[in-house]
Amino acid sequence: MAVEHADDDRTSGTTGPDPNRRTGDAAAAGATGADGNSPESAPAPTSGAGPQEGDAKIAAAVAAAEAAGPKTGETVRLDSWIWAVRLVKTRSMGATACRGGHVRVNGERVKPAYSVRVGDEVRLRGEGRERIIVVKRLIRRRVGALVAAQCYVDNSPPPPPREAIAPAGIRDRGAGRPTKRDRRELERLRGLLGGDHPEDR
């Protein structure tokens, strides 16, 4: 009889470990997860970084601005700085604006070679508005808009609506040269649009 029971055990497959059955440790690990929490209580993965992603972008912009800064002991020209922070499209345009009196630093007209310092207030007139900028970082190379925004504090008033800006100096074809009255009207329009002021000449 004992032999028959042994044969029954071998044929039924109950004497050896079941290869499809999980061991106690593996089953416990699967039920609780690697961190000891059950699958239901495990935190769901987040789809995006949210505020941390924005902080990382700002941190990268600050690092890029620091890398674009001058070496120890070097100065930065005004025309170079306003070009680097994207206030003007080209450096030559920045120099022309300084020579024309459209750029003031701390209320004073300065030359393009003026050495900018942290804390200076730069006022730039052009394109129908006045920009009021406080220097926060000195840089020598032109950078992207996000990096440039980390180099100054913008205290500018909001730009006027587009419909409030009237085109100045447009005359009908064949109207001839402007009269004195026309020139006075043009000067008034230029003053409204931040152009040349007669007292700055």
Side-chain angles (χ1 to χ4, degrees):
M1 296 293 290
V3 175
E4 293 177 359
H5 286 298
D7 292 339
D8 293 340
D9 290 340
R10 282 197 297 271
T11 56
S12 62
T14 58
T15 57
D18 185 2
N20 296 326
R21 185 177 180 182
R22 303 171 70 182
T23 61
D25 294 340
T32 59
D35 57 353
N37 296 327
S38 63
E40 292 79 9
S41 63
T46 57
S47 58
Q52 294 179 355
E53 184 179 355
D55 294 341
K57 287 184 178 181
I58 293 176
V62 171
E66 294 290 345
K71 296 179 181 179
T72 304
E74 291 184 344
T75 60
V76 179
R77 291 169 53 107
L78 176 61
D79 58 348
S80 178
W81 187 83
I82 62 177
W83 164 74
V85 297
R86 309 180 71 87
L87 295 179
V88 292
K89 293 182 179 179
T90 64
R91 182 173 172 176
S92 61
M93 289 178 65
T96 302
C98 293
R99 294 190 193 98
H102 303 298
V103 182
R104 295 178 182 267
V105 179
N106 301 324
E108 300 291 334
R109 292 179 60 175
V110 292
K111 296 182 178 180
Y114 174 86
S115 296
V116 184
R117 294 183 294 270
V118 174
D120 284 345
E121 182 191 69
V122 179
R123 291 177 176 256
L124 173 66
R125 290 199 318 261
E127 297 184 358
R129 62 180 299 202
E130 182 179 41
R131 300 291 303 273
I132 304 174
I133 303 297
V134 178
V135 180
K136 187 177 175 182
R137 286 186 178 87
L138 300 179
I139 59 174
R140 298 173 64 91
R141 302 194 308 269
R142 189 171 176 89
V143 294
L146 183 62
V147 181
Q150 304 301 319
C151 299
Y152 58 79
V153 178
D154 194 349
N155 296 330
S156 307
R162 287 180 174 267
E163 56 269 14
I165 302 177
I170 297 179
R171 291 175 58 81
D172 296 331
R173 291 178 64 89
R177 296 178 60 184
T179 63
K180 287 186 177 181
R181 181 176 180 181
D182 294 334
R183 286 196 291 270
R184 284 196 299 269
E185 186 66 18
L186 290 174
E187 292 292 339
R188 187 184 68 81
L189 289 174
R190 288 196 185 102
L192 291 176
L193 296 176
D196 294 331
H197 291 276
E199 61 269 18
D200 290 342
R201 295 177 180 173

